[in-house]
Amino acid sequence: MGWNDWYTAYCGVNAQLVEQSAQAMVNDGMKAAGYQYVNIDDCWMAPSRDSAGNLVADPTRFPGGIKPVADYVHSLGLKLGIYEDAGTTTCAHLPGSYGHEAQDAASFAAWGVDYLKYDRCNIPFDQFPGQPEQQVQQTLATRMSDALKATGRPIVFSICTPDRGDDPWRWSAPIANLWRTTTDIQDNFGSMLVNFEGTVNLFADAGPGAWNDPDMLQIGNRGSTRLEYRTEFSLWAEMAAPLIASTNLAALSPGALAMYENTAVIAVDQDPWGKPGIPISSTGGLWVLSKELSGGDRSVVLFNSTVTAATIATSATAVGLPAAGAYRLQDLWSNSVTASRGAISAFVPAHGVVMYRVSTIDRRQARALPPHTMLSLAPAAAQLFTGRSTIVRETLTDDGPAPVKRVKLTFRAGRGWRIKRLGRARVERLAPGHRYTVAFRVTAPVAGPPFALAALSGGASWDPVNGWRATAAILGERVFAPVPPPYRTADLTSQPAAFGARDGAFAISARGTGVLQPWNAPPTGSYAAIYEPQRAGVSSTAQVTVTYDQAGGTAGGAGLIERDAMTAPAASPAGVVLFVNDAGTVVMSWNATGARNVDSRYAVQNAVVHEPVTLRLVRGGSTYTGYYSTDAGVTWSPVDTVTVAPGASAGDQDVGVFHASGLFTWTTTATFKDFSVR
Ligand code: GLA
């Protein structure tokens, strides 16, 4: 457990930041909660070694070198970490340890370093002819591991070889204490999900002293919701992953700090048995994980990676607990404690988790606890349209060993919604193991934006033996305005996309790995679009403002698309896309060769645009010029002028807007306004 500067300072790291962060960890309670390592990442070095070949710290940012920083950190009872690279240079092109392993390890030990993160950029593979990359990584990491051991100072060794095929979990345990399993994390739910999914199945490869590292925690960096950060912290703890906060500790909100200091969740992460949680199921993106804890408890995480709230349920037996009179469920985020006859269940919000510590108890102990209940909402339709109705079933389940009595179920929605209850709201007695359901007919307001998230909430109150209790469930129902003619929709993704339109404004909610990227095999592209057939003439201008785009990676994005035929990607590739991706980069891709996939790509690398961004695509025959504007069309920056495959796109083309989340496993929603074709 610790802190690392990378995601807050990048190459601006300096002694002051490191020392202030160490001080903050003491003052804000993180040290007391167990955070110990204060880690310096890349860029701490001067651009060259000294005349004796020793590494030197950057003289302006670390004026006294590393030793005084280590001394200061030690004086606070904390430990210092540093960064190097097995190659000739680090990822930021500063001197690497290749050929200097023993010398550098000796420097680290002399300075008082307690932890080394060892990266893998710029490795001279040509020095290892015929050797597979993984073997070279292993050889070089072993050199540094041996060099660290030879210093006699205990130094935690953290390997950073997250590239495809390196598979460090297969070879690192004998030489390292932790190894990165996945690529650099970003501060969004999709990236967190990728790193979780890339690590969770490696549970058998990790254990005490040798850990899977899905990369650093983003809590506090403000790119995700509180719920998503809570999910990250819970999943990392369940995987027994390192908890390394990579954020500006001085600017942490009380909420983010409380998350970092949830001692019940930390206890799961740091459990002495060191057993990573095991995925029990993951059907439809609804995950159940179980981690065996010392003393026989289990930590159970119910994780909803989908876009709508859902019931996730398992049983004590399924998660590996022995038969018992009853089970004690401690919710590690709400701190409520209930008794269950065996069901472990919750209604979990989209992108959220419920995390329980489950223990066996006897019947007598169970009688002293409130019964475990679950209130859930199940809509008949996964998405709703303005002015249309659906049925939402509200169910209270009694999973406890005692009945719940005098139950009343309520249901609410926002302004403009119509709700009709289709059954009795009250039930006198709900026996253990039973449930009561009331259906509601729910009608969305007639008018609305192309896309809105409506909070439909259910409530239950009842009177168990020892007083009234109440519980609530919130369903984020997705409401779309139906797409009217002349617009059409095209869905080339693996999961049904959802579309909304109103007055030239659009919303597309979709998965998809990207748009016609050159590396996709034909039929290319995995995206969803709203378009007008044959609307872009040989001399035309299409324009739209992307008002929101949260994609999962640089392959995803939202923008304009113009093609011969939108729904026939393999047969009719000629066309152009102009979009903004998750990194805020404006990208233009097109078909230059006449092959079946879009094969050319130009990105305005220095265009880091934040929505809204207006995109304009000007067509003159088979030549297209893209522009973007971040001031609503007052000033325009050119992207590129390109020519598509000769012979193609001689006539009118389909034109519209598209969105791809960047990933197969999650859905994001992009919204657009002021679409026009002239
Ligand atoms: C790589 C690592 C990151 C960070 C940077 C520093 O990308 O994966 O964690 O250390 O290098 O340059």
Side-chain angles (χ1 to χ4, degrees):
M1 294 171 67
W3 171 85
N4 173 301
D5 69 79
W6 182 247
Y7 286 105
T8 177
Y10 298 96
C11 279
V13 63
N14 60 48
Q16 206 186 355
L17 174 75
V18 176
E19 294 183 4
Q20 280 171 356
S21 302
Q23 187 65 63
M25 282 163 68
V26 174
N27 295 347
D28 68 14
M30 284 180 73
K31 181 190 172 202
Y35 295 85
Q36 194 182 11
Y37 288 92
V38 182
N39 293 350
I40 305 171
D41 210 282
D42 203 351
C43 300
W44 60 270
M45 279 173 248
S48 45
R49 293 171 179 269
D50 70 11
S51 53
N54 295 307
L55 289 172
V56 191
D58 182 281
T60 27
R61 287 180 289 107
F62 290 88
I66 298 300
K67 184 153 193 329
V69 180
D71 290 346
Y72 178 80
V73 168
H74 293 155
S75 76
L76 298 176
L78 297 167
K79 295 188 165 168
L80 187 82
I82 208 159
Y83 167 100
E84 246 297 2
D85 190 289
T88 52
T89 58
T90 71
C91 299
H93 308 293
L94 291 158
S97 282
Y98 183 74
H100 292 269
E101 288 86 354
Q103 186 176 15
D104 292 351
S107 296
F108 300 147
W111 295 339
V113 165
D114 308 291
Y115 180 118
L116 174 66
K117 172 174 170 181
Y118 206 47
D119 217 332
R120 53 53 176 106
C121 279
N122 310 312
I123 289 186
F125 288 108
D126 54 353
Q127 307 283 309
F128 302 86
Q131 290 192 34
E133 187 175 321
Q134 188 193 92
Q135 193 182 324
V136 178
Q137 301 281 18
Q138 189 172 346
T139 302
L140 295 185
T142 305
R143 276 185 203 169
M144 183 49 96
S145 176
D146 291 344
L148 292 174
K149 283 177 198 152
T151 68
R153 184 177 174 88
I155 298 178
V156 169
F157 190 38
S158 156
I159 294 181
C160 183
T161 55
D163 302 308
R164 232 208 179 117
D166 287 345
D167 299 357
W169 51 88
R170 295 188 200 282
W171 49 267
S172 296
I175 58 163
N177 304 105
L178 61 156
W179 49 86
R180 278 274 298 281
T181 48
T182 40
T183 186
D184 289 13
I185 199 164
Q186 295 163 35
D187 186 12
N188 64 59
F189 181 78
S191 170
M192 190 278 295
L193 188 62
V194 165
N195 283 15
F196 162 71
E197 290 183 344
T199 307
V200 69
N201 289 311
L202 306 175
F203 55 86
D205 299 303
W211 308 106
N212 290 319
D213 174 10
D215 208 2
M216 299 177 277
L217 298 166
Q218 296 295 310
I219 301 159
N221 291 339
R222 296 166 199 265
S224 306
T225 66
R226 241 172 115 161
L227 199 68
E228 290 166 342
Y229 286 137
R230 178 188 283 194
T231 296
E232 180 180 69
F233 200 71
S234 306
L235 294 175
W236 264 228
E238 189 76 357
M239 295 190 290
L243 300 180
I244 300 187
S246 194
T247 189
N248 179 3
L249 297 181
L252 271 188
S253 69
L257 186 61
M259 221 173 268
Y260 278 122
E261 295 182 359
N262 183 325
T263 48
V265 177
I266 290 172
V268 169
D269 181 74
Q270 297 285 312
D271 183 80
W273 282 6
K275 296 197 173 187
I278 294 175
I280 304 293
S281 56
S282 60
T283 315
L286 303 177
W287 290 80
V288 176
L289 303 166
S290 173
K291 183 179 197 288
E292 198 178 352
L293 302 175
S294 58
D297 288 359
R298 292 269 174 168
S299 163
V300 177
V301 170
L302 309 176
F303 166 41
N304 179 358
S305 71
T306 77
V307 287
T308 40
T311 296
I312 307 180
T314 183
S315 70
T317 323
V319 302
L321 281 158
Y327 300 87
R328 178 184 188 273
L329 269 51
Q330 180 194 0
D331 182 319
L332 300 189
W333 289 104
S334 77
N335 256 319
S336 74
V337 175
T338 55
S340 167
R341 299 200 314 168
I344 301 172
S345 54
F347 185 63
V348 187
H351 293 189
V353 293
V354 169
M355 186 171 191
Y356 294 120
R357 188 180 184 113
V358 186
S359 337
T360 55
I361 50 175
D362 60 32
R363 291 242 161 79
R364 189 186 48 80
Q365 291 169 309
R367 275 197 292 275
L369 296 173
H372 181 65
T373 60
M374 175 177 63
L375 183 68
S376 60
L377 297 169
Q383 73 228 25
L384 200 55
F385 291 99
T386 49
R388 298 193 196 157
S389 304
T390 192
I391 302 288
V392 177
R393 294 163 70 81
E394 179 174 8
T395 302
L396 183 69
T397 308
D398 181 359
D399 287 324
V404 294
K405 294 175 187 163
R406 286 184 287 280
V407 174
K408 185 181 177 212
L409 296 182
T410 57
F411 188 84
R412 280 205 270 180
R415 183 184 278 230
W417 287 74
R418 279 183 295 133
I419 297 164
K420 187 171 170 17
R421 181 160 43 78
L422 304 176
R424 275 167 48 93
R426 288 170 196 274
V427 58
E428 196 47 40
R429 184 178 186 277
L430 196 52
H434 285 70
R435 65 186 59 176
Y436 184 72
T437 299
V438 188
F440 295 86
R441 179 179 302 285
V442 175
T443 310
V446 176
F451 167 75
L453 206 58
L456 309 181
S457 52
S461 53
W462 70 94
D463 181 15
V465 198
N466 45 0
W468 281 91
R469 295 182 190 275
T471 187
I474 295 180
L475 177 73
E477 182 73 329
R478 304 178 321 139
V479 186
F480 293 85
V483 177
Y487 300 111
R488 291 193 198 160
T489 62
D491 184 359
L492 306 179
T493 69
S494 57
Q495 289 274 323
F499 304 93
R502 194 166 182 236
D503 302 335
F506 302 117
I508 302 175
S509 192
R511 299 186 179 195
T513 48
V515 189
L516 316 161
Q517 297 293 357
W519 53 84
N520 284 358
T524 62
S526 172
Y527 64 92
I530 299 176
Y531 68 100
E532 276 189 81
Q534 301 297 294
R535 176 75 170 81
V538 287
S539 170
S540 58
T541 297
Q543 189 170 311
V544 79
T545 300
V546 180
T547 47
Y548 177 63
D549 167 37
Q550 191 203 14
T554 47
L560 288 167
I561 182 163
E562 215 163 299
R563 311 195 63 188
D564 286 354
M566 199 69 70
T567 52
S572 170
V576 175
V577 287
L578 174 65
F579 64 101
V580 56
N581 71 14
D582 181 49
T585 302
V586 178
V587 180
M588 203 165 162
S589 293
W590 66 98
N591 174 278
T593 63
R596 281 144 73 97
N597 58 325
V598 164
D599 48 43
S600 304
R601 182 173 192 273
Y602 179 79
V604 186
Q605 291 301 354
N606 57 359
V608 176
V609 296
H610 300 287
E611 286 71 42
V613 56
T614 306
L615 302 170
R616 174 183 276 180
L617 193 54
V618 180
R619 178 181 178 199
S622 53
T623 299
Y624 299 77
T625 304
Y627 302 87
Y628 73 95
S629 166
T630 52
D631 55 12
V634 179
T635 51
W636 292 94
S637 307
V639 181
D640 203 359
T641 297
V642 307
T643 304
V644 301
S649 66
D652 293 347
Q653 291 187 309
D654 293 354
V655 58
V657 296
F658 76 91
H659 174 54
S661 72
L663 292 176
F664 271 127
T665 49
W666 79 313
T667 302
T668 51
T669 303
T671 54
F672 309 83
K673 65 173 187 177
D674 302 329
F675 175 73
S676 69
V677 185
R678 284 183 289 110

